[in-house]
Amino acid sequence: MRAGQRGRRLMQILTERSDVRAWSDIAALGLTQIIGYGTLYYSFGILAPAMARDLGWPEEWVFGALSIALLTGGLIAPWSGRWIDRFGAGRVMTAGSVTAVLALAVCAAAPSGFTFLPALIAIEIASTMVQYGAAFPLLVQRHPRTAQRSIVWLTLIAGFASTLFWPFTSWLHGFMSWREVYIVFAALNLMLCVPLHAWLSRPAEADPKTLRAGQPASDPPESPQGSVAPANRRTAFILMAAAFAFQSFVSSAVLVHMLPMLGSLGLGVIGVTVGALFGPSQVASRLINMIFGRNLSQLILAAVAAALLPGALVLLTLTAPSIAGAMAFAVLFGMGNGLYSIVGGTLPLALFGADGYGRRQGQIMSVRLIVGSVAPFAFALIMHQLGIHTALGMSAGLGFCAVAALAMVAVLLRRTAMPASTASAVP
């Protein structure tokens, strides 16, 4: 009896320690994701006009340089995914943070556009190594049994990146040049992200559930398996990647052209107000999912996210120039985009499991970045040549194509479900 009580007490202590480790990892990653997205992505739109004046470029050239950098990052992303599987996500994120520090410093010191462009490309390469595409695999590698829950919590924390860094960047730029702001950002990455990512590179400790099953502590914990049968994984992955690509087009195009788009619909006066609803709506959707969507299938959640984006565009088109309609659009679009960030990490895990997760995330990130780099230009071209309503209609059509692709994945799962003996539930 006493031995049994001591055993149960030991397992309780190990479980509590495991939970503490998981939450500490999520908190550390949450901080680095806020800094990573804030310094490497959200700040650019605020600083771009000053960059253009300083470099003697038209402002369009600066955003064109960003598109080239995003495209390059998309081409590099599959390599990053393979590095994550081979060397561990923590080490890759540490190297990415060091790269971000150097790239921000070089960009700040760039005397001309010929130096600025390679530095901007280096920033986007670093982004693929430190943002969600690497953070999600880190949670899967360190906490495979609870990775899905951890990803949801991480996206909730990181969702405050725009809310914090848009005003923070504007405040800094009020008394600093864009070059000085980038030096501050380099210092943030050096003093916070580099040591935190190095700390997250430490070996994962044994899982108490694994010890309870009698597995030696030196063995890695069992990884969750996916719900797609091996023979159908290629088809399912292509359909899932296509759905993410369609959503990436809609999200990137609309977010970049939010204010001009609203202006073309006669809503330019309230454009800033409408935009302000987007960030809180993203966070709200993640919080609602955390509270009420615990037992919801990740495929269904992905379909809901995919439907909200084009649904919001249809609502905006039908109600413009209604202020209430524009505000409803911002809320729905923000919620869809917030859920899109979650399922980008949880759906591949649910469908294909943890093995090779880093490689798959790299491939998905590649598709999203490449499509996202082209989308703003394509949307602007359609808007100017064929009109705003045509641009919105075509974007909504692509959004509904994402829903159709996910529905095809669901049909594939129902027709060829894995035997219960070979599939295990994803937590």
Side-chain angles (χ1 to χ4, degrees):
M1 290 293 293
R2 290 184 178 179
Q5 291 175 350
R6 285 197 297 267
R8 287 192 294 272
R9 178 56 181 163
L10 176 60
M11 295 312 304
Q12 181 182 359
I13 293 173
L14 289 173
T15 301
E16 291 173 352
R17 288 180 177 176
S18 178
D19 289 342
V20 170
R21 289 195 301 272
W23 286 115
S24 63
D25 288 354
I26 293 170
L29 265 183
L31 178 58
T32 66
Q33 291 304 285
I34 288 174
I35 295 173
Y37 275 99
T39 61
L40 304 178
Y41 182 72
Y42 286 116
S43 64
F44 188 85
I46 296 172
L47 302 176
M51 293 174 176
R53 290 192 300 269
D54 195 19
L55 296 171
W57 280 5
E59 194 170 325
E60 293 79 8
W61 286 22
V62 175
F63 283 101
L66 178 62
S67 294
I68 294 173
L70 287 170
L71 180 61
T72 306
L75 296 174
I76 293 293
W79 291 89
S80 297
R82 286 193 284 269
W83 296 336
I84 287 168
D85 282 340
R86 182 175 179 182
F87 302 110
R91 293 178 179 177
V92 171
M93 295 186 80
T94 303
S97 289
V98 173
T99 303
V101 171
L102 297 175
L104 286 166
V106 172
C107 199
S112 67
F114 294 104
T115 311
F116 174 82
L117 178 58
L120 191 60
I121 290 174
I123 287 175
E124 290 307 320
I125 291 174
S127 296
T128 66
M129 300 168 68
V130 300
Q131 293 175 349
Y132 281 159
F136 292 162
L138 187 143
L139 291 173
V140 171
Q141 289 174 356
R142 293 188 60 78
H143 310 285
R145 294 181 182 275
T146 58
Q148 184 171 303
R149 181 195 67 184
S150 299
I151 287 172
V152 172
W153 275 104
L154 177 63
T155 57
L156 179 66
I157 298 171
F160 290 98
S162 61
T163 305
L164 294 173
F165 264 85
W166 275 337
F168 180 57
T169 303
S170 299
W171 176 72
L172 287 177
H173 197 35
F175 58 91
M176 289 182 176
S177 68
W178 72 269
R179 297 179 185 273
E180 292 169 335
V181 172
Y182 262 26
I183 293 297
V184 172
F185 288 169
L188 283 175
N189 280 274
L190 177 62
M191 292 186 294
L192 294 175
C193 294
V194 171
L196 284 174
H197 287 156
W199 177 69
L200 289 166
S201 302
R202 71 197 190 282
E205 299 182 38
D207 188 331
K209 295 180 181 178
T210 297
L211 295 178
R212 186 181 297 119
Q215 184 176 349
S218 58
D219 291 345
E222 180 185 354
S223 298
Q225 303 299 308
S227 58
V228 179
N232 299 311
R233 290 196 166 196
R234 181 178 178 83
T235 301
F237 183 82
I238 291 173
L239 289 170
M240 182 190 67
F244 285 154
F246 291 136
Q247 291 176 82
S248 179
F249 182 96
V250 176
S251 177
S252 299
V254 171
L255 290 181
V256 170
H257 294 287
M258 177 78 77
L259 294 183
M261 178 185 72
L262 294 174
S264 299
L265 293 170
L267 292 159
V269 178
I270 65 161
V272 175
T273 303
V274 171
L277 295 172
F278 176 79
S281 298
Q282 284 196 113
V283 176
S285 68
R286 294 166 184 170
L287 185 60
I288 291 171
N289 173 64
M290 192 180 340
I291 297 173
F292 300 106
R294 182 170 300 179
N295 298 319
L296 186 66
S297 161
Q298 294 306 301
L299 187 56
I300 293 177
L301 185 65
V304 170
L308 282 172
L309 296 180
L313 294 182
V314 171
L315 176 65
L316 178 66
T317 304
L318 295 177
T319 60
S322 166
I323 295 177
M327 295 177 72
F329 150 76
V331 171
L332 292 177
F333 199 87
M335 294 180 71
N337 209 63
L339 294 177
Y340 170 50
S341 298
I342 294 175
V343 297
T346 58
L347 183 60
L349 182 63
L351 294 180
F352 307 106
D355 292 337
Y357 181 80
R359 173 178 54 82
R360 282 190 292 272
Q361 273 296 302
Q363 293 169 341
I364 293 168
M365 186 62 64
S366 177
V367 170
R368 292 169 69 168
L369 286 174
I370 291 173
V371 173
S373 68
V374 175
F377 173 76
F379 187 89
L381 183 64
I382 297 171
M383 185 168 59
H384 291 130
Q385 295 295 324
L386 302 176
I388 181 61
H389 288 89
T390 301
L392 289 173
M394 293 178 68
S395 298
L398 291 176
F400 287 121
C401 286
V403 180
L406 293 171
M408 292 173 68
V409 174
V411 171
L412 190 66
L413 288 177
R414 283 199 297 268
R415 287 181 177 176
T416 56
M418 290 183 66
S421 59
T422 61
S424 60
V426 176

